[in-house]
Amino acid sequence: MRKGMLYAATAYVIWGLLPLYFKALQSIAPTQIMLHRMVWSLLFLLCVLVWRKQWSWLGDALRQPKVLGAFMLSAVLLSTNWFVYIWAVNSGRIIDSSLGYFINPLVNVLLGYVVLGERLRGVQWVAVALAACGVAWLTWITGQPPWIGLTLAVTFGFYGLMRKTAKLGPLEGLSLETLLLFPFALAALAWLTLHQQNAFLDASTQSQWLLMAAGPITAIPLLLFAAGARRIPMSTLGLLQYIGPSLQLALGVLLYNEPFSGDRLIGFAAIWSALVVYSGEGVWRAWRVRNFPVTTES
């Protein structure tokens, strides 16, 4: 239990501090950062697979078109999420990106209802309604929907849905996704190199090392998260997941001085209220089941 909490919390702290990493690469275009993230992630994951001698799944996966198609779709969703997040951070929109990960748990609830046919309890509907009010308020005060947050929440929500129903485990699934993206990323970097537009070649040594570090920075928190999720209850994991966006919001407001007016605070407060309702109900139900288990008599 303690190890599980440590693994999961560490993963969320790394994700929460990612703006510091991407800000250090602000001189490089988000598209190129994403391409390097794909390439170096695969190389890092290959090293992990070699170390663990975990290859038996690959041959079977490559012979199943449906599996390849599903993981190609999840890879596209993941890369879209990456690109929007990187662009938002380096465009001074860290607060907007944090909104996406605050909304994400409620998007997951709606996807479970719409796609998987899961029933929503009354309190969960209240949480969804509060979040919808917060999004509507932010849309009204800015004149447009908070598209950065919504895009991040929806793409990661659908990505999580696909991984939930996937046949492969976390390490194998992430490895297959990066393997499928690798040829496109490598071809794009080759084209940029031929046209003398590959920023990696002209970047400082520090920036080159940071780009190569994209592999472990991407894979390690995902593996820590997977290890933690296997050891702790979902209610605990649900509470820990707010570490990431909370750190991102704090960085945006306190370190990078992004504007956070009272009007925006009202919208965020509605969404935070939704999360308190949603998480509180989940914790209460878990406590009730643990202390008052339902027994059936034969």
Side-chain angles (χ1 to χ4, degrees), residues 123-149:
V123 176
Q124 290 178 316
W125 278 117
V126 171
V128 171
L130 283 171
C133 290
V135 172
W137 172 260
L138 292 171
T139 300
W140 186 70
I141 65 170
T142 60
Q144 62 180 2
W147 67 268
I148 293 174

mmCIF file of all heavy atoms in Angstrom, residues 123-149:
data_model
loop_
_atom_site.group_PDB
_atom_site.id
_atom_site.type_symbol
_atom_site.label_atom_id
_atom_site.label_comp_id
_atom_site.label_asym_id
_atom_site.label_seq_id
_atom_site.Cartn_x
_atom_site.Cartn_y
_atom_site.Cartn_z
ATOM 1 N N VAL A 123 -25.044 11.468 -7.112
ATOM 2 C CA VAL A 123 -23.994 12.411 -6.714
ATOM 3 C C VAL A 123 -23.012 12.640 -7.865
ATOM 4 O O VAL A 123 -22.498 13.752 -8.048
ATOM 5 C CB VAL A 123 -23.246 11.889 -5.469
ATOM 6 C CG1 VAL A 123 -22.097 12.820 -5.103
ATOM 7 C CG2 VAL A 123 -24.202 11.783 -4.293
ATOM 8 N N GLN A 124 -22.772 11.602 -8.659
ATOM 9 C CA GLN A 124 -21.881 11.762 -9.812
ATOM 10 C C GLN A 124 -22.489 12.700 -10.849
ATOM 11 O O GLN A 124 -21.783 13.494 -11.467
ATOM 12 C CB GLN A 124 -21.586 10.398 -10.433
ATOM 13 C CG GLN A 124 -20.706 9.513 -9.558
ATOM 14 C CD GLN A 124 -20.461 8.157 -10.172
ATOM 15 O OE1 GLN A 124 -21.374 7.516 -10.690
ATOM 16 N NE2 GLN A 124 -19.217 7.702 -10.123
ATOM 17 N N TRP A 125 -23.815 12.617 -11.025
ATOM 18 C CA TRP A 125 -24.478 13.553 -11.941
ATOM 19 C C TRP A 125 -24.349 14.987 -11.433
ATOM 20 O O TRP A 125 -24.176 15.926 -12.218
ATOM 21 C CB TRP A 125 -25.955 13.185 -12.097
ATOM 22 C CG TRP A 125 -26.224 12.092 -13.086
ATOM 23 C CD1 TRP A 125 -26.770 10.873 -12.841
ATOM 24 C CD2 TRP A 125 -25.952 12.121 -14.491
ATOM 25 N NE1 TRP A 125 -26.857 10.136 -13.994
ATOM 26 C CE2 TRP A 125 -26.368 10.876 -15.032
ATOM 27 C CE3 TRP A 125 -25.405 13.077 -15.351
ATOM 28 C CZ2 TRP A 125 -26.252 10.571 -16.380
ATOM 29 C CZ3 TRP A 125 -25.284 12.773 -16.703
ATOM 30 C CH2 TRP A 125 -25.696 11.539 -17.206
ATOM 31 N N VAL A 126 -24.423 15.171 -10.120
ATOM 32 C CA VAL A 126 -24.241 16.510 -9.535
ATOM 33 C C VAL A 126 -22.842 17.034 -9.851
ATOM 34 O O VAL A 126 -22.661 18.209 -10.224
ATOM 35 C CB VAL A 126 -24.485 16.477 -8.012
ATOM 36 C CG1 VAL A 126 -24.086 17.812 -7.374
ATOM 37 C CG2 VAL A 126 -25.948 16.170 -7.707
ATOM 38 N N ALA A 127 -21.825 16.163 -9.718
ATOM 39 C CA ALA A 127 -20.450 16.562 -10.009
ATOM 40 C C ALA A 127 -20.293 16.949 -11.471
ATOM 41 O O ALA A 127 -19.657 17.968 -11.795
ATOM 42 C CB ALA A 127 -19.488 15.422 -9.657
ATOM 43 N N VAL A 128 -20.861 16.159 -12.358
ATOM 44 C CA VAL A 128 -20.778 16.468 -13.793
ATOM 45 C C VAL A 128 -21.470 17.802 -14.088
ATOM 46 O O VAL A 128 -20.961 18.625 -14.861
ATOM 47 C CB VAL A 128 -21.407 15.328 -14.618
ATOM 48 C CG1 VAL A 128 -21.537 15.738 -16.087
ATOM 49 C CG2 VAL A 128 -20.567 14.060 -14.502
ATOM 50 N N ALA A 129 -22.624 18.038 -13.466
ATOM 51 C CA ALA A 129 -23.355 19.286 -13.690
ATOM 52 C C ALA A 129 -22.557 20.495 -13.203
ATOM 53 O O ALA A 129 -22.513 21.538 -13.866
ATOM 54 C CB ALA A 129 -24.711 19.227 -12.988
ATOM 55 N N LEU A 130 -21.909 20.357 -12.036
ATOM 56 C CA LEU A 130 -21.081 21.459 -11.522
ATOM 57 C C LEU A 130 -19.920 21.768 -12.465
ATOM 58 O O LEU A 130 -19.613 22.938 -12.734
ATOM 59 C CB LEU A 130 -20.542 21.093 -10.133
ATOM 60 C CG LEU A 130 -21.515 21.201 -8.958
ATOM 61 C CD1 LEU A 130 -20.901 20.587 -7.704
ATOM 62 C CD2 LEU A 130 -21.880 22.669 -8.717
ATOM 63 N N ALA A 131 -19.273 20.716 -12.968
ATOM 64 C CA ALA A 131 -18.171 20.924 -13.903
ATOM 65 C C ALA A 131 -18.665 21.579 -15.182
ATOM 66 O O ALA A 131 -17.994 22.473 -15.737
ATOM 67 C CB ALA A 131 -17.492 19.585 -14.216
ATOM 68 N N ALA A 132 -19.819 21.161 -15.674
ATOM 69 C CA ALA A 132 -20.388 21.767 -16.879
ATOM 70 C C ALA A 132 -20.674 23.248 -16.656
ATOM 71 O O ALA A 132 -20.444 24.081 -17.545
ATOM 72 C CB ALA A 132 -21.666 21.033 -17.280
ATOM 73 N N CYS A 133 -21.150 23.594 -15.465
ATOM 74 C CA CYS A 133 -21.380 25.006 -15.142
ATOM 75 C C CYS A 133 -20.072 25.792 -15.155
ATOM 76 O O CYS A 133 -20.016 26.936 -15.632
ATOM 77 C CB CYS A 133 -22.052 25.126 -13.776
ATOM 78 S SG CYS A 133 -23.777 24.558 -13.745
ATOM 79 N N GLY A 134 -19.006 25.188 -14.626
ATOM 80 C CA GLY A 134 -17.707 25.850 -14.634
ATOM 81 C C GLY A 134 -17.193 26.089 -16.044
ATOM 82 O O GLY A 134 -16.696 27.180 -16.358
ATOM 83 N N VAL A 135 -17.325 25.084 -16.904
ATOM 84 C CA VAL A 135 -16.901 25.231 -18.294
ATOM 85 C C VAL A 135 -17.752 26.284 -19.004
ATOM 86 O O VAL A 135 -17.241 27.117 -19.771
ATOM 87 C CB VAL A 135 -16.976 23.879 -19.031
ATOM 88 C CG1 VAL A 135 -16.730 24.062 -20.528
ATOM 89 C CG2 VAL A 135 -15.965 22.903 -18.447
ATOM 90 N N ALA A 136 -19.065 26.264 -18.754
ATOM 91 C CA ALA A 136 -19.958 27.250 -19.372
ATOM 92 C C ALA A 136 -19.589 28.670 -18.932
ATOM 93 O O ALA A 136 -19.598 29.612 -19.735
ATOM 94 C CB ALA A 136 -21.411 26.939 -19.008
ATOM 95 N N TRP A 137 -19.246 28.829 -17.644
ATOM 96 C CA TRP A 137 -18.854 30.145 -17.133
ATOM 97 C C TRP A 137 -17.558 30.625 -17.802
ATOM 98 O O TRP A 137 -17.467 31.787 -18.222
ATOM 99 C CB TRP A 137 -18.680 30.086 -15.629
ATOM 100 C CG TRP A 137 -18.106 31.341 -15.036
ATOM 101 C CD1 TRP A 137 -16.805 31.562 -14.673
ATOM 102 C CD2 TRP A 137 -18.808 32.565 -14.765
ATOM 103 N NE1 TRP A 137 -16.637 32.830 -14.192
ATOM 104 C CE2 TRP A 137 -17.859 33.479 -14.239
ATOM 105 C CE3 TRP A 137 -20.123 32.975 -14.914
ATOM 106 C CZ2 TRP A 137 -18.203 34.767 -13.850
ATOM 107 C CZ3 TRP A 137 -20.476 34.270 -14.530
ATOM 108 C CH2 TRP A 137 -19.523 35.146 -14.004
ATOM 109 N N LEU A 138 -16.571 29.741 -17.917
ATOM 110 C CA LEU A 138 -15.314 30.121 -18.566
ATOM 111 C C LEU A 138 -15.546 30.461 -20.033
ATOM 112 O O LEU A 138 -14.893 31.355 -20.586
ATOM 113 C CB LEU A 138 -14.292 28.983 -18.431
ATOM 114 C CG LEU A 138 -13.778 28.709 -17.015
ATOM 115 C CD1 LEU A 138 -12.948 27.427 -16.985
ATOM 116 C CD2 LEU A 138 -12.951 29.882 -16.501
ATOM 117 N N THR A 139 -16.464 29.753 -20.679
ATOM 118 C CA THR A 139 -16.802 30.062 -22.075
ATOM 119 C C THR A 139 -17.425 31.439 -22.185
ATOM 120 O O THR A 139 -17.102 32.216 -23.090
ATOM 121 C CB THR A 139 -17.774 28.999 -22.626
ATOM 122 O OG1 THR A 139 -17.148 27.714 -22.554
ATOM 123 C CG2 THR A 139 -18.157 29.302 -24.072
ATOM 124 N N TRP A 140 -18.315 31.757 -21.239
ATOM 125 C CA TRP A 140 -19.024 33.038 -21.292
ATOM 126 C C TRP A 140 -18.092 34.226 -21.053
ATOM 127 O O TRP A 140 -18.159 35.235 -21.763
ATOM 128 C CB TRP A 140 -20.144 33.037 -20.247
ATOM 129 C CG TRP A 140 -21.009 34.261 -20.336
ATOM 130 C CD1 TRP A 140 -21.893 34.584 -21.306
ATOM 131 C CD2 TRP A 140 -21.039 35.338 -19.387
ATOM 132 N NE1 TRP A 140 -22.486 35.807 -21.043
ATOM 133 C CE2 TRP A 140 -21.982 36.280 -19.862
ATOM 134 C CE3 TRP A 140 -20.371 35.587 -18.185
ATOM 135 C CZ2 TRP A 140 -22.269 37.459 -19.175
ATOM 136 C CZ3 TRP A 140 -20.656 36.756 -17.502
ATOM 137 C CH2 TRP A 140 -21.589 37.680 -17.991
ATOM 138 N N ILE A 141 -17.194 34.104 -20.083
ATOM 139 C CA ILE A 141 -16.344 35.261 -19.752
ATOM 140 C C ILE A 141 -15.246 35.483 -20.783
ATOM 141 O O ILE A 141 -14.734 36.591 -20.924
ATOM 142 C CB ILE A 141 -15.719 35.124 -18.350
ATOM 143 C CG1 ILE A 141 -14.752 33.932 -18.284
ATOM 144 C CG2 ILE A 141 -16.787 35.044 -17.290
ATOM 145 C CD1 ILE A 141 -13.936 33.889 -17.009
ATOM 146 N N THR A 142 -14.850 34.426 -21.521
ATOM 147 C CA THR A 142 -13.794 34.579 -22.520
ATOM 148 C C THR A 142 -14.332 34.686 -23.941
ATOM 149 O O THR A 142 -13.594 35.046 -24.852
ATOM 150 C CB THR A 142 -12.809 33.397 -22.461
ATOM 151 O OG1 THR A 142 -13.522 32.175 -22.718
ATOM 152 C CG2 THR A 142 -12.151 33.308 -21.093
ATOM 153 N N GLY A 143 -15.597 34.357 -24.124
ATOM 154 C CA GLY A 143 -16.180 34.421 -25.461
ATOM 155 C C GLY A 143 -15.912 33.197 -26.305
ATOM 156 O O GLY A 143 -16.303 33.140 -27.478
ATOM 157 N N GLN A 144 -15.254 32.203 -25.744
ATOM 158 C CA GLN A 144 -14.995 30.948 -26.461
ATOM 159 C C GLN A 144 -14.782 29.831 -25.448
ATOM 160 O O GLN A 144 -14.389 30.093 -24.314
ATOM 161 C CB GLN A 144 -13.758 31.078 -27.352
ATOM 162 C CG GLN A 144 -12.477 31.368 -26.590
ATOM 163 C CD GLN A 144 -11.265 31.481 -27.499
ATOM 164 O OE1 GLN A 144 -11.369 31.386 -28.706
ATOM 165 N NE2 GLN A 144 -10.104 31.677 -26.906
ATOM 166 N N PRO A 145 -15.054 28.578 -25.848
ATOM 167 C CA PRO A 145 -14.840 27.467 -24.915
ATOM 168 C C PRO A 145 -13.367 27.351 -24.531
ATOM 169 O O PRO A 145 -12.485 27.743 -25.307
ATOM 170 C CB PRO A 145 -15.296 26.235 -25.717
ATOM 171 C CG PRO A 145 -16.169 26.776 -26.809
ATOM 172 C CD PRO A 145 -15.620 28.128 -27.140
ATOM 173 N N PRO A 146 -13.087 26.837 -23.353
ATOM 174 C CA PRO A 146 -11.680 26.602 -22.959
ATOM 175 C C PRO A 146 -11.128 25.393 -23.720
ATOM 176 O O PRO A 146 -10.953 24.303 -23.173
ATOM 177 C CB PRO A 146 -11.796 26.330 -21.452
ATOM 178 C CG PRO A 146 -13.176 25.784 -21.264
ATOM 179 C CD PRO A 146 -14.034 26.477 -22.281
ATOM 180 N N TRP A 147 -10.834 25.627 -25.012
ATOM 181 C CA TRP A 147 -10.548 24.513 -25.922
ATOM 182 C C TRP A 147 -9.281 23.758 -25.555
ATOM 183 O O TRP A 147 -9.181 22.551 -25.808
ATOM 184 C CB TRP A 147 -10.484 25.008 -27.363
ATOM 185 C CG TRP A 147 -9.334 25.906 -27.676
ATOM 186 C CD1 TRP A 147 -9.306 27.267 -27.610
ATOM 187 C CD2 TRP A 147 -8.038 25.510 -28.106
ATOM 188 N NE1 TRP A 147 -8.068 27.746 -27.950
ATOM 189 C CE2 TRP A 147 -7.271 26.688 -28.271
ATOM 190 C CE3 TRP A 147 -7.435 24.277 -28.376
ATOM 191 C CZ2 TRP A 147 -5.943 26.662 -28.673
ATOM 192 C CZ3 TRP A 147 -6.116 24.252 -28.772
ATOM 193 C CH2 TRP A 147 -5.380 25.437 -28.927
ATOM 194 N N ILE A 148 -8.307 24.433 -24.955
ATOM 195 C CA ILE A 148 -7.077 23.724 -24.564
ATOM 196 C C ILE A 148 -7.401 22.680 -23.507
ATOM 197 O O ILE A 148 -7.049 21.495 -23.637
ATOM 198 C CB ILE A 148 -6.020 24.711 -24.047
ATOM 199 C CG1 ILE A 148 -5.537 25.635 -25.188
ATOM 200 C CG2 ILE A 148 -4.826 23.955 -23.444
ATOM 201 C CD1 ILE A 148 -4.598 26.730 -24.727
ATOM 202 N N GLY A 149 -8.087 23.109 -22.444
ATOM 203 C CA GLY A 149 -8.435 22.173 -21.387
ATOM 204 C C GLY A 149 -9.349 21.066 -21.877
ATOM 205 O O GLY A 149 -9.170 19.897 -21.531
#
